């Protein structure tokens, strides 16, 4: 993520690393490292995110939704 931030002063590096919008954070659904500033978007689109079927209420992974709806 250093490519996005440019050089940092050593005295500020620790604080920057903790608060950098480009620091890697792990998606809670797929364990992929995603930039902090992009995590919400990723989580909303993550294929491993659990969802409920609007038609039958079944819990399934987002990646399986199209196939699930085709069966109903």
């Amino acid at each position: 993520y250093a490519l996005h931030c440019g050089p940092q002063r050593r005295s500020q590096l620790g604080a920057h690393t903790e608060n950098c919008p480009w620091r890697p954070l792990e998606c809670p659904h797929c364990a992929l490292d995603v930039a902090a500033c992009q995590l919400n978007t990723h989580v909303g689109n993550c294929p491993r995110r659990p969802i409920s079927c609007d038609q039958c209420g079944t819990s399934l992974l987002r990646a399986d939704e199209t196939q699930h709806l085709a069966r109903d």
Side-chain angles (χ1 to χ4, degrees):
Y1 60 97
L3 296 174
H4 296 283
C5 303
Q8 301 294 314
R9 293 180 185 208
R10 281 182 198 242
S11 62
Q12 297 173 339
L13 189 58
H16 175 78
T17 302
E18 290 179 21
N19 299 308
C20 177
W22 293 101
R23 71 191 181 281
L25 295 178
E26 186 176 285
C27 173
H29 305 299
C30 70
L32 182 71
D33 281 341
V34 180
C37 62
Q38 298 173 337
L39 185 62
N40 286 339
T41 299
H42 170 80
V43 167
N45 296 311
C46 182
R48 304 284 302 161
R49 179 175 58 97
I51 61 169
S52 292
C53 175
D54 291 336
Q55 295 179 7
C56 70
T58 299
S59 293
L60 60 141
L61 296 179
R62 190 175 167 280
D64 299 332
E65 181 179 24
T66 302
Q67 184 179 5
H68 172 77
L69 292 174
R71 279 187 260 155
D72 286 350

